[in-house]
Amino acid sequence: MTVTDVSVQARWLAVTSVAVGTFTVVTSEMLPVGLLTSMAADLGVSAGTAGLTMTAPGLVAAAAAPVLAIAARRADRRLILLGLMALLAVANLAAAAAPAYPVMLAARVLTGVSIGGFWAFAAGIGTRLVPERSVGRATSIILGGVSVASVLGVPAATFVSSFAGWRSAFAAAGVLALALLALLATSLPPLKPLTGPEPQPGSESSPMPEKRSSWLSGPLKLVLVLTALTVSGHFVAYTYVRPFLEEVAQAGPALVSTALLLYGAAGVAGNFAAGARAARNPRLTLITLVTLMAAAMAALVLTGVPALAALVVWGLGYGGVGVTLQLWIMRSGGGELATALFVGAFNVSIALGALAGGRIADGLSVSAVMWAGAGLAVISAALAAVGGGTGARGGVSAAGAGTGGRSRTSGS
């Protein structure tokens, strides 16, 4: 593996800037969740229609990830990441200034392109920035931005909007993207396109070898199905958690912000707590996490009050889902193709979950979305229990779990 000839400090600054990049793109994707009520009122649409601002970028990101990965496979990764971050800045600022719903939706489509492309390229860029022994750690940091954004992005946006309105949250995300664009430009070294023949599995230029016969293996198919069930189940309910808290639990803006901040803090704790356990047994860890999610969703409906404890449990559960599924994906042996499919499945699940939640909220009630999310979580737990097999029971190997082995990350 060839590592860019820069100092150790510069390498880790580059890794950190890419991690902040993954945090920024995923936070941008999640922004509407905590802003739906005010967005819908201002743009003159229903909460369910406003939820399409979550659906659109998710679907676009799912398509953009494999398309851009193939189309720009030989391009300089630095230039690609800079371009995608610039696109994200434009999209967020356009959303902040959107005079009508169609403009907002168009801005969110651009957001989806940036999300899918940046995430796909960032996942494997650690192999180009650090020595082989540090690839696992670098990739964990980069992908950690995705996990933290999933649980902190919405509470942060809700907090900002409670003081200055929903448009301020998009404007802040746009400014953050511009600042990050400057950081990436100064910290990332040139990452020249790969040249020569296709790397062979196990060669120095193939950081994550793939077995062509097993890249879509049974274990990988199972993890992709579990991803769809778990993530869509979460977003069926979570996309409409603010309307639920306001309409059913009669919570005011201050209490909603506090509740979502507690959820986010619990999610960060869940992310790190689940990581160590998932490295040993991702199947059992996922079953535990989705069970917590289902119990929390059901508790919110049954109590009918803004139960902060239930939101903390929900945050603990979902906070660990991303890292657990990622470690399980690493064990599936599919390599770079598996990672691309996982990114696609994750984003499609976000989109479909938000879409289904909108239809349920408009057609039935916002309480019904909680039951739908809990039901999907229960199905996911049951499927993981009966279909996990031996491939997910043992600990993740050094090569697969991030101790520097080549199968830990995608090649660049």
Side-chain angles (χ1 to χ4, degrees), residues 31 39 60 86 275 307 365 390:
L31 279 179
M39 278 177 56
V60 173
S365 67
T390 59

Side-chain angles (χ1 to χ4, degrees), residues 218-244:
L220 173 56
K221 291 177 183 177
L222 174 63
V223 178
L224 293 176
V225 171
L226 293 173
T227 299
L229 288 170
T230 304
V231 177
S232 62
H234 171 75
F235 281 97
V236 160
Y238 189 56
T239 303
Y240 300 92
V241 69
R242 180 167 183 169
F244 174 86

Side-chain angles (χ1 to χ4, degrees), residues 25 36 53 133 153 174 192 246 286 289 346 398:
V25 296
L36 275 183
T53 58
R133 65 180 181 276
K192 298 178 181 180
E246 292 176 339
L286 184 68
L289 296 174
F346 203 103

